[in-house]
Amino acid sequence: MKTFDPQAMYSEWMSQLANQKPWQEWVKPANSLTDLPVMDVLKEAGAKIDPALFTKLQSQYMQEFGQLWQDFTLSKLPTLNDRRFSAADWQNHAMHAYSAASYLLNARFLLALAEAVDANPKTKQKINFAVQQMIDAMSPANFLVTNPEAQTRLIESKGESLAKGISQMLADMQKGRISQTDESAFEVGKNVATTEGNVVFENRLFQLIQYTPLTKTVHQRPLLMVPPCINKFYILDLQPENSVVRYAVEQGHTVFLVSWANPDEHLDQVTWDDYIEEGAIKALEVACAISKQAQVNAFGFCVGGTIVSTALAVLAARGEHPASSLTLLTTLLDFSETGVLDVFVDEMQVAMREQTIGKKGLLPGRDLASTFSSLRANDLVWNYVQSNYLKGEAPPPFDLLYWNSDSTNLPGPMFCWYLRNTYLENKLKVPNALQVAGEHVDLGLIDTPCFIYGSREDHIVPWQAAFASLALLNPAQRERNVFVLGASGHIAGVVNPPAKKKRSYWLNEDRQQTVADAWLAAATEHAGSWWPVWAEFLSTHGGKMVKAPVQPGNTQFKAIEAAPGRYVKVRAA
């Protein structure tokens, strides 16, 4: 199969605006399954389907098509169990209801065909993903000529909605991305990333923020937070009421946080080793020096968890153990199960990246953003095509989507090393299979209690993959580790403050359980946020309470500027 390009679907949609044939093919039943759109995807992949199974699917398809056509001739409206077609305009008009039903019928059987393919799991996953992307792109809701809601808005506004939609589309074309929120409503440091603190150290890769205490006493050992470098850190500090950072400060912790630089051409040769040595290890060193403690509570979120875990393994190989505990949120250490991201990783795609940016260059943040949006195309792409362009609606302000649009570049050499050695070859979990910063990496040498969190609906880090870290960290002392499973996805599951009283989480007191599904089957569900469970874990490993520091930093590491600092404000081109 060809390398999948997340931008291709949106570009294809743009080219179809003046061409009626593609959407017409999608909103009418085919004469047989072989006439359905995107069958060439299966052919290109060399996909084979058992003839008997194909015949059965084709017979079922034609039977349902015949019933749909009969209902249409009798003016019987079909039932549309899809939220894209839930508005009255779809439900009450025969032609629009029929076009939506036809599309759903075609889509359902295309997916059935993809599922019936006789192929290895990786190829099958790629076929399913490619077919789903095409199905999502060709929904009649995505085109003015087949979207009755947009047509009604056009008539009611006397053309104003279309004019505004075109204006917003042209503006987005200039930006190179679809607007998901009113970006003018937010400013970093003004109404997002507002927890008070100071930058107390900086080098070419990161600034280290020390947050101002909110309690008279604090735990001796500070908390060092390492967020992912593929996004800005302020997902952990959006608003005061949903800030993970502020919550930790309120619990009596001296919080240090790594604010990664947004790489430009000056950092286009930075390696994974640099992120470990100059990044996480240096941050650990400075936090220990300022707090005058031999150990900190270490914390990593997503890729930040992979980075800080690698750093602790490198230090362990040097005989150093600077972490009294380790918190990993939605983090991959064992890359056996990487969810839908696996469709973007194979030898061909990794080798292509290595040839282009493996020694020098940048992976643009917009490429990463496009990839992640494609994982939930209906929610993060086509939903906004419909509202912003077809209906002329301005997207409302939403802090999380503002953060989502604030993308970050990555140095090519660092990204390519990470892609090959973790996602493709899964070497990080193998003791001594990798050499980083001059040391062989063995995660089993990280001798510290661990708090591991996974989100049940996470499509980026499947919760079973997060659970797999238990087998790598303290394998001989699993009773020291805590695993918590939260509801929702990669971000919403993490950013779930107690005051909201939303969602739930699962705990299992049996810490020796090694099978994820068995762990869940015996786990107990609790209402609300998992944050208090984490707070209790941190408190246990934070040391005694001492007077809160009056000033940030120390004589060696003095305050440079107020939080959130300069680095987080640099936007990718």
Side-chain angles (χ1 to χ4, degrees):
M1 292 183 66
K2 296 177 182 177
T3 301
F4 181 76
D5 179 5
Q7 283 292 105
M9 290 283 75
Y10 179 64
S11 299
E12 177 68 13
W13 176 85
M14 295 289 291
S15 70
Q16 304 303 347
L17 288 178
N19 184 359
Q20 296 185 17
K21 189 175 187 298
W23 64 258
Q24 286 176 337
E25 294 301 317
W26 276 85
V27 299
K28 69 178 184 181
N31 293 323
S32 71
L33 285 181
T34 55
D35 296 327
L36 283 171
V38 303
M39 281 296 291
D40 57 335
V41 173
L42 305 183
K43 295 176 183 176
E44 183 187 334
K48 296 181 180 179
I49 301 175
D50 178 74
L53 180 55
F54 184 87
T55 299
K56 179 181 177 182
L57 286 173
Q58 179 158 271
S59 175
Q60 186 179 352
Y61 172 79
M62 297 307 295
Q63 183 178 356
E64 291 196 26
F65 157 47
Q67 185 62 54
L68 178 62
W69 179 251
Q70 182 179 3
D71 289 346
F72 178 67
T73 58
L74 297 174
S75 299
K76 181 181 178 181
L77 293 176
T79 301
L80 303 175
N81 295 318
D82 188 297
R83 63 185 178 87
R84 289 172 293 178
F85 311 118
S86 60
D89 284 328
W90 291 99
Q91 303 282 344
N92 297 337
H93 299 280
M95 279 301 300
H96 292 303
Y98 174 73
S99 73
S102 299
Y103 161 79
L104 292 172
L105 174 63
N106 287 343
R108 185 163 64 254
F109 279 94
L110 275 173
L111 289 174
L113 278 176
E115 188 59 36
V117 165
D118 182 14
N120 63 64
K122 182 118 178 171
T123 300
K124 196 168 185 176
Q125 185 183 34
K126 285 189 174 186
I127 291 172
N128 280 328
F129 184 76
V131 170
Q132 185 65 64
Q133 291 290 306
M134 294 181 183
I135 287 171
D136 292 344
M138 297 310 295
S139 165
N142 297 340
F143 300 88
L144 181 61
V145 291
T146 50
N147 187 321
E149 296 177 78
Q151 294 170 11
T152 299
R153 187 70 56 87
L154 175 65
I155 295 169
E156 291 176 346
S157 67
K158 298 180 180 179
E160 184 178 341
S161 63
L162 180 59
K164 188 173 181 181
I166 292 174
S167 175
Q168 292 178 162
M169 183 173 69
L170 293 174
D172 282 356
M173 290 173 67
Q174 286 288 105
K175 289 192 297 185
R177 54 186 166 82
I178 298 173
S179 295
Q180 298 174 333
T181 185
D182 178 6
E183 296 176 16
S184 66
F186 299 98
E187 182 180 339
V188 175
K190 184 176 180 180
N191 54 4
V192 291
T194 59
T195 300
E196 292 185 5
N198 291 271
V199 174
V200 292
F201 173 83
E202 65 182 36
N203 62 19
R204 63 175 184 158
L205 291 186
F206 75 98
Q207 287 188 316
L208 186 67
I209 299 171
Q210 180 181 357
Y211 288 97
T212 304
L214 294 174
T215 54
K216 291 183 179 180
T217 60
V218 295
H219 291 276
Q220 267 184 316
R221 300 188 188 105
L223 171 65
L224 172 64
M225 307 180 81
V226 182
C229 54
I230 62 174
N231 300 107
K232 299 290 181 69
F233 81 79
Y234 62 90
I235 187 58
L236 298 171
D237 188 32
L238 286 171
Q239 307 279 343
E241 61 271 16
N242 63 0
S243 168
V244 181
V245 169
R246 187 177 183 87
Y247 177 80
V249 175
E250 289 173 341
Q251 301 307 305
H253 296 281
T254 299
V255 177
F256 293 89
L257 181 142
V258 171
S259 172
W260 296 107
N262 196 343
D264 58 15
E265 65 274 7
H266 297 100
L267 297 177
D268 65 0
Q269 297 183 63
V270 169
T271 64
W272 179 262
D273 282 25
D274 294 328
Y275 269 77
I276 301 305
E277 193 75 75
E278 295 182 43
I281 290 178
K282 188 63 180 179
L284 285 162
E285 175 190 317
V286 175
C288 286
I290 291 176
S291 63
K292 297 180 181 179
Q293 294 294 309
Q295 292 185 317
V296 304
N297 285 300
F299 169 107
F301 178 23
C302 190
V303 181
T306 311
I307 290 174
V308 75
S309 298
T310 305
L312 291 175
V314 168
L315 290 173
R318 297 173 183 173
E320 302 174 35
H321 299 276
S324 60
S325 76
L326 173 61
T327 295
L328 298 178
L329 308 184
T330 60
T331 292
L332 286 171
L333 299 180
D334 180 343
F335 288 73
S336 301
E337 295 183 61
T338 56
V340 71
L341 280 176
D342 196 46
V343 303
F344 298 104
V345 183
D346 56 31
E347 179 61 40
M348 182 182 71
Q349 296 190 67
V350 173
M352 181 189 69
R353 290 290 189 185
E354 290 172 334
Q355 290 173 8
T356 55
I357 58 173
K359 295 188 181 299
K360 181 180 181 181
L362 296 173
L363 177 71
R366 62 179 177 272
D367 287 4
L368 281 171
S370 174
T371 296
F372 284 116
S373 290
S374 73
L375 302 181
R376 293 172 52 209
N378 279 331
D379 292 332
L380 297 177
V381 178
W382 304 117
N383 174 54
Y384 295 100
V385 165
Q386 296 160 28
S387 60
N388 297 7
Y389 307 161
L390 303 187
K391 301 177 187 177
E393 298 172 352
F398 186 16
D399 56 2
L400 194 152
L401 289 177
Y402 174 78
W403 165 83
N404 192 54
S405 70
D406 194 1
S407 57
T408 306
N409 302 325
L410 286 179
M414 173 268 195
F415 175 72
C416 290
W417 188 99
Y418 173 64
L419 208 56
R420 174 168 291 281
N421 289 285
T422 59
Y423 274 93
L424 183 63
E425 299 182 359
N426 196 16
K427 288 182 177 179
L428 184 60
K429 74 168 186 175
V430 182
N432 304 316
L434 293 175
Q435 189 169 358
V436 177
E439 306 291 346
H440 286 96
V441 176
D442 182 355
L443 296 173
L445 296 179
I446 301 175
D447 183 22
T448 190
C450 300
F451 181 98
I452 299 173
Y453 169 85
S455 288
R456 192 168 183 178
E457 286 83 42
D458 195 338
H459 60 291
I460 295 174
V461 179
W463 78 266
Q464 295 90 342
F467 183 88
S469 295
L470 292 171
L472 304 176
L473 303 165
N474 294 323
Q477 301 183 64
R478 291 177 67 102
E479 70 278 358
R480 298 201 299 169
N481 297 339
V482 176
F483 183 79
V484 176
L485 177 64
S488 197
H490 191 69
I491 298 299
V494 170
V495 184
N496 183 26
K500 297 287 186 181
K501 297 181 180 180
K502 294 177 65 177
R503 305 187 183 96
S504 61
Y505 63 93
W506 289 261
L507 284 175
N508 187 336
E509 297 303 322
D510 180 7
R511 298 187 181 182
Q512 299 300 327
Q513 180 57 253
T514 59
V515 180
D517 291 337
W519 180 96
L520 179 57
T524 302
E525 184 175 5
H526 303 268
S529 171
W530 57 270
W531 290 12
V533 181
W534 174 55
E536 182 179 351
F537 173 86
L538 284 182
S539 178
T540 302
H541 303 289
K544 67 180 182 180
M545 303 301 292
V546 298
K547 185 178 179 181
V550 178
Q551 298 292 333
N554 60 14
T555 55
Q556 182 183 2
F557 301 106
K558 297 180 180 180
I560 297 171
E561 62 179 324
R566 307 184 312 281
Y567 286 17
V568 73
K569 296 179 181 179
V570 177
R571 294 187 71 94

